[in-house]
Each structure stands twice: as C-alpha cells, then as structure tokens.
Amino acid sequence: MNLTNNWCSPIFMGLNQAPITVMIENYRSGLIWNLFMSHPDVRAEIKK
C-alpha cells in the first residue's frame, strides 16, 4: 500500500496465517514446545 501514489497491491499475502498453523500443531501435540525445550541453550537459561 502506498498512500502517496494512491496504490494498493492486488496480491494478498497471508503472512499472519503461518504462526496460526504452528500454534495449532503445538496445541495438538506439543511438538513445538518440546523441540524448543530440548535445546541446550534454552535449558541452560531456565536453570539460571
């Protein structure tokens, strides 16, 4: 979108939809949370 030139792109991009699918999978199986928590740096920071 460019208000100066009165232009709006005809292409629609659903950039906000990708995080939704990740959140659904995390709710469904806990996969994302488990992968995140298995990282050594994350575990070290939690211990601190």
Side-chain angles (χ1 to χ4, degrees):
M1 175 179 269
N2 185 336
L3 296 176
T4 306
N5 294 327
N6 196 23
W7 176 84
C8 182
S9 174
I11 299 170
F12 174 78
M13 296 181 69
L15 295 177
N16 62 342
Q17 294 172 355
I20 293 171
T21 58
V22 173
M23 288 186 283
I24 290 170
E25 178 57 32
N26 192 50
Y27 176 77
R28 191 181 70 80
S29 67
L31 174 67
I32 309 303
W33 181 253
N34 292 334
L35 287 172
F36 176 75
M37 293 303 292
S38 69
H39 195 279
D41 291 340
V42 172
R43 294 183 95 30
E45 289 301 315
I46 288 175
K47 287 180 182 179
K48 286 182 182 180

